[in-house]
Amino acid sequence: MAVISADNPLKGWYKYRRHKDAKWEPACIFDSEDGRLVCRIGDRMVDPHEHWTFLAGNKVEKDAAKIAF
């Protein structure tokens, strides 16, 4: 199991909320074609380092996230 660190986002499938009353959105951290680590939340691309602390504790199964996308 990988150690979770605020400075090192881990690739995978997550759920994300913009604020406590917002709906959950699917999220995915992955390597882009040029090898950079990127993050997709809903329909937007974001910096995974800026959102990692909100995603880290909300890992989900790949199938659940793919259905939500």
Side-chain angles (χ1 to χ4, degrees):
M1 177 178 236
V3 175
I4 295 177
S5 165
D7 298 325
N8 296 310
L10 300 177
K11 291 184 273 187
W13 301 89
Y14 302 90
K15 60 183 183 177
Y16 173 84
R17 278 200 298 205
R18 293 179 196 231
H19 54 80
K20 77 173 191 143
D21 296 325
K23 291 183 179 180
W24 287 104
E25 295 181 73
C28 181
I29 298 176
F30 58 97
D31 289 324
S32 66
E33 290 180 7
D34 64 2
R36 293 181 306 117
L37 197 62
V38 294
C39 180
R40 176 180 172 193
I41 297 177
D43 61 354
R44 63 195 188 283
M45 299 301 291
V46 298
D47 180 346
H49 293 89
E50 290 180 18
H51 292 82
W52 176 236
T53 56
F54 299 103
L55 296 171
N58 297 308
K59 192 161 181 68
V60 297
E61 295 296 320
K62 179 180 180 178
D63 290 340
K66 287 181 85 171
I67 289 168
F69 272 118

